[in-house]
Amino acid sequence: AGNDAAGSRDNKVAVLPFSVVRDGQNTADEVGVRVQNDCYVLLTKHAGELSIQDPRTTNAQLFKAGVTKENVKGYTMEDLCKILGVEYVLEGMVTLNQTTQTSTTTNTYKASDSKDNKSGDKDKKKASGTTFATSSINYETNVSLNIYNDKGNSVFSQMRKSFWNDQDAYKATLEYLLKRSPVYRK
């Protein structure tokens, strides 16, 4: 599994499935794979001379090598680069914590003159209205991104709190971090 020749790994990048924690609880693996795919898409648009490995290939190679979410801590980043046949490996974590829930109700009314000849009251007013209700949950989102080379050295490590407060805020924050990383090309 993987390519052991160091030269054949040059300029190749793999993105590991992200860890995603919501309100202190680990989420399903599919959520981490979705963030992994989002990261891959952002990187492929700005890869330059780098080759970004498809997440399906990355995940298949990890599976064949017996690397799981539960035992990945038993592997060095140098080990993972060799297994995946890449020079750089990215790992990250997204944490979402619910902060507030807001509800908004909007009422609109329209008054109109009514000429009701049956009652004889020409000044009677009619009102019609609409009520809209919306509810939203706000989250505090933090994204951490770490990049290691095939010698096991950390080449980038940053964490950032999202400016936005919805549950997809990680995307803009991830892009912010990637733009400042050594594997992002303009």
Side-chain angles (χ1 to χ4, degrees):
N3 228 329
D4 284 340
S8 65
R9 294 192 302 260
D10 287 353
N11 296 322
K12 294 180 182 172
V13 181
V15 180
L16 297 177
F18 275 59
S19 298
V20 181
V21 177
R22 180 176 296 188
D23 296 323
Q25 301 295 314
N26 286 326
T27 60
D29 291 348
E30 293 78 18
V31 180
V33 170
R34 188 178 88 198
V35 180
Q36 175 192 28
N37 279 311
D38 291 340
C39 185
Y40 168 76
V41 168
L42 287 168
L43 273 180
T44 54
K45 292 177 184 175
H46 298 279
E49 77 283 0
L50 298 174
S51 171
I52 314 301
Q53 184 168 274
D54 179 85
R56 186 164 179 90
T57 301
T58 298
N59 296 342
Q61 289 175 328
L62 291 172
F63 179 80
K64 287 178 186 174
V67 180
T68 65
K69 183 178 178 178
E70 290 73 30
N71 72 8
V72 71
K73 292 180 182 172
Y75 293 85
T76 67
M77 289 302 167
E78 183 179 2
D79 294 338
L80 292 175
C81 283
K82 286 179 183 175
I83 289 168
L84 297 170
V86 296
E87 183 177 9
Y88 300 101
V89 67
L90 280 72
E91 72 164 359
M93 175 183 275
V94 175
T95 56
L96 298 120
N97 292 305
Q98 183 177 330
T99 54
T100 58
Q101 185 167 354
T102 56
S103 296
T104 307
T105 305
T106 306
N107 297 312
T108 57
Y109 291 100
K110 181 180 177 186
S112 63
D113 290 332
S114 172
K115 298 191 179 180
D116 190 346
N117 292 334
K118 291 180 187 171
S119 66
D121 186 358
K122 293 183 180 179
D123 295 328
K124 189 173 183 180
K125 302 275 186 190
K126 277 191 178 179
S128 61
T130 308
T131 301
F132 297 99
T134 58
S135 180
S136 63
I137 298 174
N138 296 319
Y139 291 91
E140 177 183 286
T141 302
N142 289 289
V143 178
S144 66
L145 182 66
N146 303 299
I147 303 173
Y148 298 88
N149 65 17
D150 57 2
K151 294 171 185 58
N153 300 323
S154 173
V155 296
F156 182 83
S157 183
Q158 280 193 21
M159 186 170 110
R160 182 159 178 90
K161 181 180 173 183
S162 179
F163 176 76
W164 309 107
N165 61 6
D166 62 11
Q167 65 181 354
D168 285 336
Y170 74 88
K171 291 178 185 178
T173 308
L174 178 60
E175 185 172 14
Y176 176 91
L177 290 173
L178 284 172
K179 282 182 177 180
R180 283 144 186 82
S181 78
V183 296
Y184 187 96
R185 305 293 190 259
K186 292 184 185 203

